[in-house]
Amino acid sequence: MTFSARVLPWAVAMALLPFSALAQEPGFFAGLTPSVGMAHGSSGTTDGGGFGGGGTVENVKFGTTAGIGAHAGYQFDRHLSGFLSYQYVRGDVDWDTNFPQFGQTTNFSGTATSNAILVNAAYDWLPSDTTTIRATAGLGVAFNTLSGVTERYEGAFVSDVESHTKTNPIAQIGLAIQHNITPNTTVGLAATVAYTGGFETGATRTGNLGQTPINPYEIDNVWRASLGVSLETRF
C-alpha cells in the first residue's frame, strides 16, 4: 500500500470529525434569508372615503410578495436555540370600494410593506451530522405601510391616497431544513407562516377635488406564507 493510500482515509476522517462536532456545539450564529411568498387579507371597512364615508371595501387581493430577512442568535445545546430576526417584505395590493350612495365602485391599488422585528425560539432535530431540521416560533411587532395607493374609476385617475404606517403584533411559525457546506456555514430552505395584523391608508386624498379628508381604508387580518433560502454562519 502506498503512502498516499494510507494517509487519505485518515485525512478524510480528521476532516469530518470537527465538521460534525462544530455543527452541534453551542455558540453564536447569524444569517440572511431572501424569500418569496403570498399574502391574504380581508376588510371590515364600510365607511371609507370622503363626503360622509359610506365606502365598503371589497375584493382585497395581494400580489406575490418578496422579502429579505436577517437573524442572529445563540445555540444553547444540540437542540435548543434563540434568536432575534428582522424582516422586510413588500408586495402589491388591490381592492375595490363600493359607494352605494353614488352608485359607483372605484378601484384602489398600491404597495403593502412590512418591517418586522421578532424574538424567536427554535428546536432542532439532527437526522445526520450535517443536516438539521429546525422548527421555529416567534413573536414581535410589525410596522405595516400602505403607500403609492391610487384610486381609479373605470381606468381613469381619481386620486392619490395618503400613505400610512400601522403598528401591529406579529406571530410566526416556521420549518426549515439546513445542510452544512463547511464546518461553520449552512444553507437551507425555510417555510414560514405569519399573522401580520393589518394595514391602513392615511386620512387624506389628493385628486380631482383637490386635497380632501377621508375616512381611512383598512385591510385586516393579513396572513403571509413565505418560502426562503437561508445562509447561516456560526462563530
Side-chain angles (χ1 to χ4, degrees):
M1 182 180 291
T2 65
F3 176 78
S4 60
R6 294 191 191 98
V7 171
L8 183 58
W10 288 100
V12 171
M14 293 299 290
L16 290 177
L17 282 174
F19 191 99
S20 59
L22 283 171
Q24 300 170 8
E25 285 182 353
F28 290 97
F29 60 87
L32 294 172
T33 306
S35 65
V36 296
M38 63 183 79
H40 175 77
S42 58
S43 179
T45 299
T46 58
D47 63 348
F51 307 105
T56 299
V57 174
E58 305 170 337
N59 305 321
V60 178
K61 298 176 183 178
F62 284 86
T64 301
T65 63
I68 185 73
H71 63 273
Y74 187 80
Q75 184 83 35
F76 299 108
D77 58 28
R78 286 169 52 90
H79 300 291
L80 295 175
S81 61
F83 60 97
L84 292 174
S85 62
Y86 163 77
Q87 298 175 352
Y88 171 85
V89 180
R90 178 186 178 101
D92 295 333
V93 63
D94 184 277
W95 71 88
D96 296 325
T97 301
N98 179 32
F99 297 94
Q101 65 270 47
F102 302 120
Q104 295 180 346
T105 297
T106 60
N107 175 260
F108 294 76
S109 60
T111 301
T113 305
S114 290
N115 288 273
I117 300 172
L118 297 98
V119 179
N120 307 269
Y123 186 88
D124 294 344
W125 290 271
L126 307 169
S128 75
D129 289 341
T130 59
T131 300
T132 302
I133 297 174
R134 172 172 290 180
T136 61
L139 295 172
V141 59
F143 304 94
N144 295 333
T145 302
L146 279 179
S147 61
V149 176
T150 298
E151 178 186 13
R152 288 183 167 84
Y153 176 66
E154 296 183 347
F157 172 81
V158 177
S159 72
D160 288 324
V161 182
E162 180 187 9
S163 301
H164 181 71
T165 298
K166 185 177 181 181
T167 304
N168 299 272
I170 180 174
Q172 178 174 280
I173 57 173
L175 187 65
I177 182 167
Q178 299 174 316
H179 184 75
N180 288 78
I181 57 174
T182 74
N184 295 316
T185 305
T186 65
V187 295
L189 190 64
T192 59
V193 176
Y195 175 78
T196 63
F199 293 79
E200 184 178 293
T201 69
T204 62
R205 45 95 77 185
T206 304
N208 55 351
L209 299 174
Q211 186 177 86
T212 57
I214 62 170
N215 293 331
Y217 303 96
E218 297 181 358
I219 310 298
D220 309 313
N221 300 319
V222 178
W223 289 84
R224 186 175 67 238
S226 300
L227 186 64
V229 178
S230 65
L231 178 65
E232 187 174 283
T233 300
R234 294 181 175 271
F235 303 98

